[in-house]
Amino acid sequence: MASIAKPQDIQPDEPLLLSEFVQGYWRLAQWQMSPQARLTFIKQHLELGVSSIDQADIYGGYRSETLLGEALRLQPAIRQQLQIVSKCGIKLNVPGGPGCTVNHYDSGRQHMLQSVDDSLRRMRIEKLDLLLIHRPDLLMDADEVAEAFETLHASGKVSHFGVSNFSPSQFALLQSRWRLPLATNQVEINPFNFAVAEDGTLDQLQQQRVRPMAWSCLAGGRLLSDDSMQAQRLRTELTAIATEVNADSIEQVVFAWVRMLPSKPRPILGSGNIARVRDALASTKLSLSREQWYRIWVAAKGHGVP
Ligand code: NAP
C-alpha cells in the first residue's frame, strides 16, 4: 500500500542553505551608511561566512529593503552569493506604507503577492530565497496562504516559505495546508525571553527537524545596557561563565547559550558593526556545560529549577 508522505518528508526543488548565523537588517536605516559602505558591510560579513540576510518589507518604515537594493545595485553579481529572507503580513500606518489608518496584520493573498512584488522591486532582485509570514494573523485562512505560496512559488518569485512568531498550533495549521515543509519559525530567543523553549514552540521544531531562526539574542542590546536587577544578575553570571570558558565577551556566551538549544537555532545578528559580527561568530569555539546553561536560566528567572 502506498504511504502518504508527510510534509517534513517532502523536499522542495532546491535545498535552502542558510548560513549558521544570519545578518539582520532591521536596523539598517539607523546605521547611517552610504551605499558603498553598505556594500562593504555585505562583503565583510559574507567573507566571514554570514551569507544569509534577514529583511522585512516593513523594516526601517519600508526603507530598509531599498537601502539594501541601493548597495546590491553597485555589484549585482554579489546577490548570487547571498540568501535573502524577507517577510510580509504586517501593514504599518506610516508614510510610504500601504495607506492604512491603524497598524494591523494581513495574510490575505492580495497583500502577500503585492508585498513580495514590492520587496523584489525595492531590493532590485528577482527572487526571495525565503519568505516568512511575519506575525500570526488572527484572520489567517491557511488555505488562502497556501494558495498565495503556490502562486509565488510557481512564478519563481519565492523559493521557500516559513513563518515568524507562530505558536505551535498556528505552525501546524499552516503546515497542514502547505505541501512543502515550512522552512523555519523565526522567534525571539534571549535570556530575558525564552518562552519558546517552554511553550512547545521549539519542541515542535525539534520534532520536525526544522531549525528556528533566533531574533534579538542580545535583547536588542538591553542585555548590555539594562539597569534592572534581572539584567544585573544575568551580566554577573555571564561574566563568570565567560571567564570559565575563555570567552572574549558575555555576548559570545549568550550566542553559545542560544545555539545549545537542541532545535539548533540560527542566531540573527542585529549589529551593523563588523567587529561585533566577528565577535559573535567566534562564539562557535565555545562549549557550555549543561550546568552553565542552567546557571543562565537561574539568573534569568531569579530562582532555581523546580
Ligand atoms: P540584537 O543582537 O539583540 O540587538 C542588536 C542591537 O544591540 C544593536 O542596536 C546593537 O548596536 C546593540 N548592541 C549594543 N551592544 C552590543 C554588543 N556588545 N554587541 C552587539 N550588539 C550590541 O538583535 P536585534 O537587532 O534586536 O535583532 C536581530 C535581527 O533579528 C534584526 O535585524 C531582524 O532581522 C530580526 N528580528 C526579527 C523579528 C521578528 O519578529 N521576526 C523581530 C526583531 C528582530 P550596534 O548596531 O551599535 O552594534
Side-chain angles (χ1 to χ4, degrees):
M1 201 173 82
S3 61
I4 298 169
K6 297 190 226 79
Q8 61 267 33
D9 298 332
I10 302 170
Q11 290 309 313
D13 323 336
E14 27 176 317
L16 174 65
L17 300 172
L18 296 180
S19 47
E20 284 302 305
F21 287 76
V22 173
Q23 182 60 49
Y25 275 82
W26 174 29
R27 301 174 193 272
L28 175 58
Q30 297 165 26
W31 296 342
Q32 305 288 340
M33 292 175 176
S34 66
Q36 187 59 54
R38 280 171 242 148
L39 177 64
T40 301
F41 182 67
I42 295 169
K43 287 182 181 172
Q44 286 172 326
H45 68 68
L46 197 48
E47 200 160 301
L48 294 170
V50 181
S51 59
S52 304
I53 283 180
D54 186 64
Q55 269 285 8
D57 54 351
I58 60 165
Y59 282 175
Y62 297 92
R63 286 182 52 230
S64 182
E65 289 182 329
T66 302
L67 296 175
L68 180 66
E70 287 171 3
L72 294 178
R73 186 168 69 141
L74 298 176
Q75 196 173 317
I78 205 166
R79 195 271 172 262
Q80 305 313 322
Q81 299 175 61
L82 300 167
Q83 300 84 45
I84 300 184
V85 182
S86 194
K87 315 186 191 76
C88 67
I90 302 179
K91 282 182 167 171
L92 294 183
N93 171 22
V94 294
C100 53
T101 56
V102 66
N103 297 348
H104 65 282
Y105 302 145
D106 185 349
S107 59
R109 183 175 191 278
Q110 196 184 343
H111 174 65
M112 286 180 61
L113 300 187
Q114 184 63 53
S115 181
V116 168
D117 281 345
D118 291 343
S119 289
L120 295 177
R121 177 179 45 78
R122 285 192 286 253
M123 290 190 278
R124 300 165 192 263
I125 57 175
E126 304 204 327
K127 185 184 234 190
L128 293 178
D129 295 283
L130 174 60
L131 175 72
L132 308 180
I133 307 282
H134 205 150
R135 290 220 169 240
D137 169 13
L138 298 180
L139 300 178
M140 179 178 84
D141 176 334
D143 285 317
E144 186 178 348
V145 173
E147 203 186 303
F149 282 0
E150 199 65 67
T151 303
L152 290 164
H153 194 252
S155 64
K157 292 178 182 174
V158 180
S159 301
H160 299 266
F161 300 87
V163 296
S164 181
N165 305 302
F166 268 40
S167 71
S169 61
Q170 290 157 345
F171 187 97
L173 167 61
L174 185 54
Q175 186 63 92
S176 74
R177 306 301 164 87
W178 173 233
R179 67 184 170 83
L180 297 175
L182 290 170
T184 194
N185 189 1
Q186 184 180 118
V187 291
E188 180 174 7
I189 310 179
N190 58 62
F192 291 101
N193 181 2
F194 47 98
V196 291
E198 300 172 318
D199 68 6
T201 304
L202 297 188
D203 298 338
Q204 177 195 47
L205 297 175
Q206 185 182 174
Q207 182 195 13
Q208 301 198 7
R209 301 190 196 285
V210 172
R211 291 181 66 180
M213 295 169 79
W215 58 263
S216 291
C217 296
L218 304 176
R222 217 153 48 89
L223 190 80
L224 292 310
S225 59
D226 202 273
D227 285 338
S228 66
M229 291 293 291
Q230 185 190 26
Q232 291 178 37
R233 268 198 321 270
L234 276 165
R235 282 195 294 271
T236 302
E237 198 61 72
L238 290 165
T239 303
I241 294 172
T243 306
E244 290 161 23
V245 299
N246 270 326
D248 306 312
S249 65
I250 63 170
E251 297 89 285
Q252 286 185 352
V253 177
V254 173
F255 287 115
W257 184 80
V258 169
R259 294 179 75 246
M260 198 169 157
L261 288 160
S263 53
K264 301 192 175 77
R266 288 187 163 91
I268 313 174
L269 305 176
S271 179
N273 175 336
I274 199 66
R276 286 179 170 172
V277 174
R278 197 174 286 115
D279 180 73
L281 298 182
S283 66
T284 54
K285 69 181 179 199
L286 304 182
S287 153
L288 304 185
S289 68
R290 282 167 183 257
E291 184 174 346
Q292 286 165 332
W293 195 94
Y294 274 102
R295 279 166 55 195
I296 297 168
W297 188 100
V298 169
K301 300 275 185 185
H303 59 74
V305 295

